Amino acid sequence: QAFPGEDPPRFDLLLLGVGPDGHTCSLFPGHALLQEQHSLVSFLEDSPKPPPQRVTMTLPLLNAAKSLLVVATGASKAPVIKRILEQQEQPPVPAARLRPRSGRLRWLLDREAAAEL
């Protein structure tokens, strides 16, 4: 067992990105991995963008982190950043499901990515 104990390991800080579709960590909108509640790391063979085969951390592991920092740059990210931060979309895109237990979620945006806020 890589991580002893019942609880997932708690990374001090995870630095993440977000795609124009709201994906993060190879967790894509509508993908079955978004429902994973037990595995900390998983794989997918049907990624909607290349490469099709990937390994990723799951939401339980991401949300166990002490702090999450999501970085987004460029105008192509502006619409999804607005959707994520307004938190009104159902079902939420993967990056909107980032909810660290500690409450320490920070966004680092350039002017273009923040243009619609």
Side-chain angles (χ1 to χ4, degrees), residues 15 17 19 22 30 39 41 46 55 68 71 73 76 82 87 100 106 109:
L15 176 62
S39 296
V41 176
D46 57 352
V55 174
L68 295 177
V71 178
T73 61
S76 68
K82 181 179 187 336
Q87 299 180 4
R106 301 288 183 260
L109 310 172

Side-chain angles (χ1 to χ4, degrees), residues 6-48:
E6 297 286 323
D7 295 327
R10 293 192 70 201
F11 289 95
D12 289 329
L13 172 66
L14 291 176
L15 176 62
L16 307 173
V18 62
D21 61 353
H23 84 272
T24 189
C25 268
S26 295
L27 298 170
F28 292 93
H31 198 278
L33 275 180
L34 294 175
Q35 308 311 315
E36 180 59 54
Q37 295 298 313
H38 303 290
S39 296
L40 301 177
V41 176
S42 193
F43 66 94
L44 60 158
E45 298 187 50
D46 57 352
S47 170

Side-chain angles (χ1 to χ4, degrees), residues 51-87:
Q53 298 162 332
R54 298 170 178 233
V55 174
T56 185
M57 293 183 217
T58 62
L59 286 170
L61 182 58
L62 297 174
N63 286 329
K66 292 179 183 174
S67 295
L68 295 177
L69 176 62
V70 184
V71 178
T73 61
S76 68
K77 308 288 177 63
V80 79
I81 296 299
K82 181 179 187 336
R83 289 170 34 213
I84 291 168
L85 296 180
E86 286 181 353
Q87 299 180 4

Side-chain angles (χ1 to χ4, degrees), residues 73-78 110-116:
T73 61
S76 68
K77 308 288 177 63
D110 68 2
R111 287 184 196 268
E112 290 81 16
E116 295 188 22

